[in-house]
Amino acid sequence: MLKKGSKLNSILTGSCPTCHEESMYLDKNPYNVTNVYKMHENCSHCGTKYKIEPSFFYGAMYVSYALGIAFGVAAFIITYFFIGEKSLVNNFIVIIATLIVFMPVIMRLSRNIWVNMFMSYDKDWKQHKGEKKATLR
């Protein structure tokens, strides 16, 4: 399921979308909030430039919105149906708490999904290493 070459591997691990060899982030821990957005400019293995254009990751806000909705709905379903909490106020509090706790993870996942929408795995990345272009689909 998470073998090298799959987009899911790159999305969940935060690795380079082209070679899957290194993390895109300076700090792998998303809960180190001061470094949650700090990324390498290029991959040190294949040379892929992560930020294709200025303000490239602004589009990740749309993905972040969708992920926030998914986490909120999941929190509601778990609390309402599995735990049996029928008070909507308590469910609302659980949703807000879930979104606050998972905010760094949602931010990282949204960036990972966004960059993987525009780049894909290149099994021959070692041969293309000298080329200084972004590997767009």
Side-chain angles (χ1 to χ4, degrees):
M1 178 162 92
L2 286 180
K3 65 181 185 172
K4 190 184 279 189
S6 70
K7 288 203 180 280
L8 192 59
N9 177 19
S10 178
I11 290 170
L12 294 179
T13 61
S15 59
C16 172
T18 304
C19 68
H20 295 191
E21 292 293 326
E22 78 169 0
S23 175
M24 293 187 292
Y25 301 97
L26 296 175
D27 187 1
K28 287 187 177 185
N29 181 9
Y31 287 100
N32 187 355
V33 182
T34 58
N35 295 330
V36 73
Y37 281 134
K38 293 186 179 174
M39 299 177 70
H40 297 284
E41 290 281 326
N42 299 320
C43 177
S44 64
H45 293 279
C46 66
T48 299
K49 185 176 179 182
Y50 299 127
K51 198 174 184 180
I52 297 172
E53 60 186 23
S55 305
F56 172 69
F57 285 107
Y58 281 158
M61 291 186 302
Y62 299 105
V63 179
S64 177
Y65 178 76
L67 286 174
I69 296 296
F71 272 72
V73 167
F76 175 76
I77 289 173
I78 289 170
T79 354
Y80 191 82
F81 293 109
F82 295 116
I83 297 176
E85 181 60 49
K86 302 299 181 190
S87 168
L88 291 181
V89 172
N90 289 343
N91 284 325
F92 181 73
I93 292 170
V94 168
I95 291 170
I96 297 300
T98 300
L99 291 177
I100 290 171
V101 167
F102 286 105
M103 183 176 20
V105 174
I106 291 172
M107 290 189 306
R108 284 271 177 104
L109 279 175
S110 64
R111 277 188 167 217
N112 297 348
I113 291 170
W114 185 252
V115 76
N116 274 281
M117 288 172 67
F118 297 97
M119 297 181 188
S120 58
Y121 180 70
D122 183 10
K123 63 181 175 183
D124 300 321
W125 66 269
K126 289 181 183 177
Q127 296 171 357
H128 302 125
K129 185 177 180 180
E131 300 172 14
K132 288 289 184 180
K133 61 181 182 179
T135 54
L136 295 175
R137 265 202 271 185

